[in-house]
Amino acid sequence: MQKAVYFLSLLLILVLFFCYAFAVQGRPDKTVPIKCYQCNSFYDKGCSDFFDNRTYPLIPCSWNATMCRKIIQETYYDGHWDVRYIRQCAKQGEVGPAEGRWCKERSGNFRVKVKVCHCDNKDGCNDATGLRPGWTTATLALSALFVRGLFSIKLNSKRTSVG
């Protein structure tokens, strides 16, 4: 029984290492241009949120573009708000916290609001907004369950061997 617990613990460590390495590696090859979704909801309604990235191709950016951008532009005109989503490559900008999930918001004159998000952690990072559980969260949850299972196996084996 001790060998099985040792083997399972070793297996858990290896799985955690590979999951963590995959989760934090970001965009693996920075020698090729980043690929971004490129569309405008004024011309294509599917470009707005909730964005289905399975229906849009990732388009390679030019060599001097180092990140992807998503712009949400709201304008008040003729009694209602018009919202447009623009996804594109970016040469300049600031990647916000949480790999670009936090965006900069600006309000201007004439009832205009703009939210700009930049990211450079992976190809197609300018997809739909919203925090999604990442690999790290999933790995921690699975690890906690696995460790709990290991402790219950150890406790059960001690109870049966004593009695």
Side-chain angles (χ1 to χ4, degrees), residues 34-49:
I34 191 169
K35 296 177 184 174
C36 301
Y37 294 107
Q38 299 180 40
C39 59
N40 186 325
S41 66
F42 182 71
Y43 305 106
D44 181 1
K45 296 298 179 200
C47 187
S48 60
D49 281 346

Side-chain angles (χ1 to χ4, degrees), residues 41-161:
S41 66
F42 182 71
Y43 305 106
D44 181 1
K45 296 298 179 200
C47 187
S48 60
D49 281 346
F50 296 95
F51 182 70
D52 185 2
N53 59 3
R54 297 171 295 173
T55 59
Y56 286 85
L58 280 171
I59 300 172
C61 299
S62 64
W63 282 98
N64 55 352
T66 58
M67 59 189 81
C68 298
R69 177 185 296 136
K70 176 182 167 186
I71 301 170
I72 303 168
Q73 174 184 317
E74 299 178 54
T75 55
Y76 189 79
Y77 180 73
D78 202 23
H80 73 280
W81 284 96
D82 180 47
V83 181
R84 292 191 187 157
Y85 294 82
I86 303 160
R87 300 169 199 279
Q88 58 190 196
C89 299
K91 296 175 186 175
Q92 295 178 335
E94 182 181 339
V95 177
E99 299 172 340
R101 290 189 182 110
W102 294 97
C103 308
K104 287 190 175 186
E105 296 187 41
R106 300 282 184 255
S107 295
N109 296 335
F110 306 107
R111 297 183 180 176
V112 175
K113 293 190 261 181
V114 178
K115 183 189 268 187
V116 180
C117 314
H118 290 94
C119 58
D120 63 356
N121 62 317
K122 65 178 183 169
D123 288 335
C125 58
N126 62 338
D127 58 358
T129 354
L131 295 176
R132 301 180 289 273
W135 280 100
T136 307
T137 307
T139 302
L140 288 174
L142 288 173
S143 303
L145 288 173
F146 190 76
V147 168
R148 182 174 176 239
L150 280 178
F151 282 118
S152 68
I153 289 172
K154 277 186 173 183
L155 290 175
N156 286 338
S157 67
K158 284 183 181 178
R159 287 181 188 155
T160 55
S161 63

